[in-house]
Every structure is written in C-alpha cells, then in structure tokens.
C-alpha cells in the first residue's frame, strides 16, 4: 500500500516473473491491434507520447479559453468493469482462446498479506498490461469527447471588436491624409486593446487532452456550456463505462484568475498588462498568453516534509553528510 498526497493509500500489485512474461506478450499483441485506433488526444502510456506531448498540446490549443474543466476518474484502475472491457476487446479480437486468456488474467485474483483476494473489478496497478487496458477502456471517452467537440465548435474566427475596428478606421483615415503622427497615435491605442471579441456568441471552441485517467478540457464559451458538459461526461462514464468522477479533483476554473492543475503543472492565462512602459513612457500592452508553471507550493511542501526547507522562512535547511 503506497500513501497518496491526500492521505489515502493506493494498492500496488507486483506480478510474478512468469506472469510478467505472459502479460508482456499479450500487451504486444493488443498494442498492434488497438494503438492505431487511439485518439490523438490520448497521451498516457503510448509509444512516442508522454507528459511532454500532452502539455505541448495544451500549450498550443488552450491559450484562448474562457474556462478549463479539470477531470479525474475516481479509483480508475480499480473500477474497470471486466465485462465492459472484454466486450470492447472482443469487438476487434476474434480469437476466443486469446480473449479467454485475458479474461483469466483479469479474474485470477491476488495475494494481499498472505490472504487470497478475488478480482471482481479493476486491473492491478503495477501490472505490465494495465496501462494498455486502461487506454482501451477509456478510448470510448475520447471518442465521446471528440464528437462533443465537433458538435460544439462554431464559427471560423471571432468577430473584430467594434472599438478596435473604430480605431483602425481612424488610423486608416490619418494615413490617407498623410498625418503620420496621428496614425501612429491610433496604432498605439489599438495595441492597448484586444482585436477580437472574446465572448463572441457565434464563435465557440473546445479542446480535450487525456493522460491515463487525468483529463482536461478547454472551452471558449459561457460557463453554462462547461457545466452541461461536466454533467454529460458524468452520465456517460456512469452509464457506458461504469465509472465515477472524482468530486475532489474535478472542477471548473477560470484560467485568468485561478490556475488549473494537470500532470503536476499549473496552467493559467495571463491577463493583459498595461504597466510596462515604452520608450516614451506610454503604457505597452502585453498580449494574454497561456503559461505552464511549476506548482511551487506543492514543491515547498514536499521539501518541508523531507526536512530540506522551512516553509515559514522560505529558506533551505542544509544537510551535511
């Protein structure tokens, strides 16, 4: 039993060497069959994919969001329904001797401190096969989110802000009559405001990234849409995959005021900053942009627990050999 950050314990199963060999062969066969069908938004435990590729997708797609939806599945690996999982596998694998072997592996049970435990649901964490089975099981969630994204996205580009359009018109007029200083003044005023309407009702976007049982959604639209999506995902997981969302870790955040936490990284969107001064003392507008930051408070807490830092003073505690 391994302690978690919230004080609870997580079971880690260690298979025998003979079981690991059989599981690895099963994994190799299933990976050839299922890997080409997985979504491009899935990054956990896949060839040439990692936490870095997941965060790179977040960096490139999540910059213009109104809200983030952080999702986490409660006791994911411990809650997989064996019948649902086997139905998914048997939909593509016709060899019943092979699928029967997978079924036996799922139902074999395990020893916990010299007591035999039956495997009714879930896959053992620490198993060679578990990560791939998790991706096979949760691929239905990826397909569901992809369909919702296609239904939700609307419009090609957001409308230009009326204020920005008026300043652009004034700059054009000044340029035509040869008044360079006046044109420059309107140009600088344009640089102080966003060019597009952020809350354009005719322009909506949704993006989704998943790593194992952790997933995050970016939505450019009203909060009501995010709440509706959360309820839809909750119902889909319960009805289709027999899983529950973790109420502790699933939440809606405004990235301009509160960072979202995904894969140990704080994701936030900076506000427009007007305090920066230009050459002649005028304020300069720094465009809003997505930021991926280290969760320093969590790092400080771990260093303090290890006796390497004093949180109160913010200073390190030297260790001498």
């Amino acid at each position: 039993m391994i302690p978690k950050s919230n004080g609870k314990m997580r079971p880690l199963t260690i298979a025998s060497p003979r079981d690991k060999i059989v599981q690895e062969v099963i994994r190799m066969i299933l990976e050839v069959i299922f890997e080409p069908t997985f979504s491009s938004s899935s990054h956990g435990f896949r060839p040439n994919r990692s936490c870095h590729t997941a965060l790179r997708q977040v960096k490139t797609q999540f910059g213009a969001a109104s809200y983030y939806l952080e999702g986490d599945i409660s006791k994911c690996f411990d809650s997989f329904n064996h019948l649902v999982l086997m139905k998914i596998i048997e939909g593509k694998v016709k060899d019943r001797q092979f699928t029967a072997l997978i079924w036996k592996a799922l139902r074999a049970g395990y020893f916990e401190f010299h007591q035999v435990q039956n495997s009714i649901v879930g896959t053992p964490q620490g198993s060679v096969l578990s990560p791939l089975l998790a991706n096979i099981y949760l691929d239905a969630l990826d397909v569901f989110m992809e369909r919702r994204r296609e239904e939700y996205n609307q419009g090609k580009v957001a409308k230009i802000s009326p204020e920005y359009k008026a300043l652009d018109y004034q700059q054009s007029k000044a340029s035509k009559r040869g008044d360079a200083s006046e044109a420059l003044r309107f140009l600088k005023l344009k640089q102080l405001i966003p060019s597009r309407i952020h809350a354009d009702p005719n322009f909506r976007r949704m993006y989704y990234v998943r790593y194992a049982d952790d997933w995050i959604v970016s939505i450019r639209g009203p909060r009501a849409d995010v709440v509706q999506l959360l309820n839809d995902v909750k119902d889909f997981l319960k009805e289709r995959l027999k899983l529950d969302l973790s109420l502790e870790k699933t939440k809606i955040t405004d990235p301009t005021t509160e960072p979202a936490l995904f894969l140990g990284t704080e994701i936030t969107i900076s506000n427009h900053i007007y305090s920066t001064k230009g050459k002649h003392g005028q304020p300069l507008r720094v465009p809003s942009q997505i930021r991926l930051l280290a969760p320093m408070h969590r790092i400080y807490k771990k260093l303090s627990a290890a006796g390497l830092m004093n949180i109160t003073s913010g200073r390190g505690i030297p260790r001498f050999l």
Side-chain angles (χ1 to χ4, degrees), residues 154-165 194-204 220:
Q154 179 179 338
K156 293 184 178 180
V157 292
K159 289 183 179 180
I160 298 177
S161 164
E163 186 180 0
Y164 185 90
K165 188 183 293 186
S195 61
R196 303 279 176 176
I197 300 176
H198 185 72
D200 184 356
N202 297 317
F203 180 78
R204 301 183 304 184
R220 180 168 178 168

Side-chain angles (χ1 to χ4, degrees), residues 73 76 79-80 137-138 234 237-238 241-245:
I73 300 172
C76 183
S79 304
F80 289 149
Y137 199 88
L138 295 176
K234 183 178 178 181
L237 289 174
K238 188 68 176 178
L241 299 179
K242 315 300 182 186
L243 297 173
D244 296 314
L245 280 178

Side-chain angles (χ1 to χ4, degrees), residues 193-307:
I193 62 173
S195 61
R196 303 279 176 176
I197 300 176
H198 185 72
D200 184 356
N202 297 317
F203 180 78
R204 301 183 304 184
R205 283 294 182 270
M206 171 182 164
Y207 296 101
Y208 161 79
V209 177
R210 180 178 66 84
Y211 187 95
D213 59 337
D214 292 331
W215 51 272
I216 186 170
V217 179
S218 159
I219 286 187
R220 180 168 178 168
R223 182 183 174 86
D225 293 349
V226 190
V227 175
Q228 181 62 47
L229 176 65
L230 174 58
N231 292 330
D232 292 344
V233 172
K234 183 178 178 181
D235 293 340
F236 173 82
L237 289 174
K238 188 68 176 178
E239 296 172 6
R240 176 75 182 276
L241 299 179
K242 315 300 182 186
L243 297 173
D244 296 314
L245 280 178
S246 172
L247 299 179
E248 298 177 0
K249 299 180 181 180
T250 301
K251 61 179 182 178
I252 300 171
T253 58
D254 181 346
T256 60
T257 59
E258 179 186 4
L261 187 66
F262 181 62
L263 298 180
T265 303
E266 289 185 349
I267 306 169
T268 183
I269 295 178
S270 64
N271 289 313
H272 299 298
I273 301 172
Y274 301 100
S275 59
T276 306
K277 299 294 182 180
K279 292 182 180 179
H280 304 290
Q282 297 107 342
L284 293 180
R285 174 177 171 267
V286 178
S288 62
Q289 57 184 347
I290 187 170
R291 293 180 176 178
L292 306 183
L293 306 172
M296 298 309 298
H297 60 285
R298 300 182 71 188
I299 295 175
Y300 293 156
K301 187 176 180 180
K302 287 185 177 182
L303 291 174
S304 175

Side-chain angles (χ1 to χ4, degrees), residues 19 42-43 141-142 144 156 159 186 191 214 228 239 261 288:
D19 282 358
S42 172
H43 296 265
L141 175 62
D142 299 339
F144 172 79
K156 293 184 178 180
K159 289 183 179 180
F186 284 116
Q191 293 174 343
D214 292 331
Q228 181 62 47
E239 296 172 6
L261 187 66
S288 62

Side-chain angles (χ1 to χ4, degrees), residues 28-300:
M28 292 169 63
I29 296 172
L30 289 179
E31 185 175 84
V32 172
I33 298 170
F34 285 94
E35 173 61 29
T37 67
F38 287 154
S39 168
S40 60
S41 297
S42 172
H43 296 265
F45 313 114
R46 295 183 59 191
N48 302 318
R49 288 174 178 264
S50 63
C51 294
H52 299 285
T53 60
L55 291 174
R56 186 182 302 123
Q57 184 177 351
V58 169
K59 177 73 173 177
T60 56
Q61 295 181 346
F62 282 39
S66 303
Y67 297 97
Y68 290 157
L69 173 58
E70 304 172 59
D72 185 87
I73 300 172
S74 178
K75 298 181 180 179
C76 183
F77 285 83
D78 301 333
S79 304
F80 289 149
N81 186 289
H82 291 168
L83 294 176
V84 174
L85 177 59
M86 291 307 302
K87 185 177 180 180
I88 296 172
I89 294 175
E90 290 174 355
K92 291 189 177 181
V93 180
K94 303 304 179 184
D95 187 338
R96 290 297 168 257
Q97 285 185 314
F98 181 63
T99 56
L101 181 61
I102 299 174
W103 174 258
K104 291 177 181 178
L106 291 172
R107 310 290 287 190
Y110 55 93
F111 276 98
E112 183 178 3
F113 305 113
H114 303 289
Q115 292 184 353
V116 178
Q117 304 288 340
N118 294 321
S119 301
I120 300 175
V121 293
T123 60
Q125 295 196 45
S127 163
V128 176
L129 194 55
S130 290
L132 179 59
L133 292 179
N135 279 332
I136 293 173
Y137 199 88
L138 295 176
D139 184 61
L141 175 62
D142 299 339
V143 173
F144 172 79
M145 295 300 292
E146 182 63 27
R147 289 175 180 170
R148 288 301 305 269
R149 188 182 74 84
E150 293 175 356
E151 295 171 358
Y152 185 80
N153 288 355
Q154 179 179 338
K156 293 184 178 180
V157 292
K159 289 183 179 180
I160 298 177
S161 164
E163 186 180 0
Y164 185 90
K165 188 183 293 186
L167 291 173
D168 187 64
Y169 175 72
Q170 294 295 335
Q171 180 192 354
S172 178
K173 283 181 61 178
S175 298
K176 287 179 180 178
R177 65 173 180 262
D179 192 344
S181 61
E182 190 70 2
L184 180 61
R185 186 175 73 86
F186 284 116
L187 174 62
K188 290 181 178 179
L189 289 174
K190 283 167 54 179
Q191 293 174 343
L192 294 175
I193 62 173
S195 61
R196 303 279 176 176
I197 300 176
H198 185 72
D200 184 356
N202 297 317
F203 180 78
R204 301 183 304 184
R205 283 294 182 270
M206 171 182 164
Y207 296 101
Y208 161 79
V209 177
R210 180 178 66 84
Y211 187 95
D213 59 337
D214 292 331
W215 51 272
I216 186 170
V217 179
S218 159
I219 286 187
R220 180 168 178 168
R223 182 183 174 86
D225 293 349
V226 190
V227 175
Q228 181 62 47
L229 176 65
L230 174 58
N231 292 330
D232 292 344
V233 172
K234 183 178 178 181
D235 293 340
F236 173 82
L237 289 174
K238 188 68 176 178
E239 296 172 6
R240 176 75 182 276
L241 299 179
K242 315 300 182 186
L243 297 173
D244 296 314
L245 280 178
S246 172
L247 299 179
E248 298 177 0
K249 299 180 181 180
T250 301
K251 61 179 182 178
I252 300 171
T253 58
D254 181 346
T256 60
T257 59
E258 179 186 4
L261 187 66
F262 181 62
L263 298 180
T265 303
E266 289 185 349
I267 306 169
T268 183
I269 295 178
S270 64
N271 289 313
H272 299 298
I273 301 172
Y274 301 100
S275 59
T276 306
K277 299 294 182 180
K279 292 182 180 179
H280 304 290
Q282 297 107 342
L284 293 180
R285 174 177 171 267
V286 178
S288 62
Q289 57 184 347
I290 187 170
R291 293 180 176 178
L292 306 183
L293 306 172
M296 298 309 298
H297 60 285
R298 300 182 71 188
I299 295 175
Y300 293 156

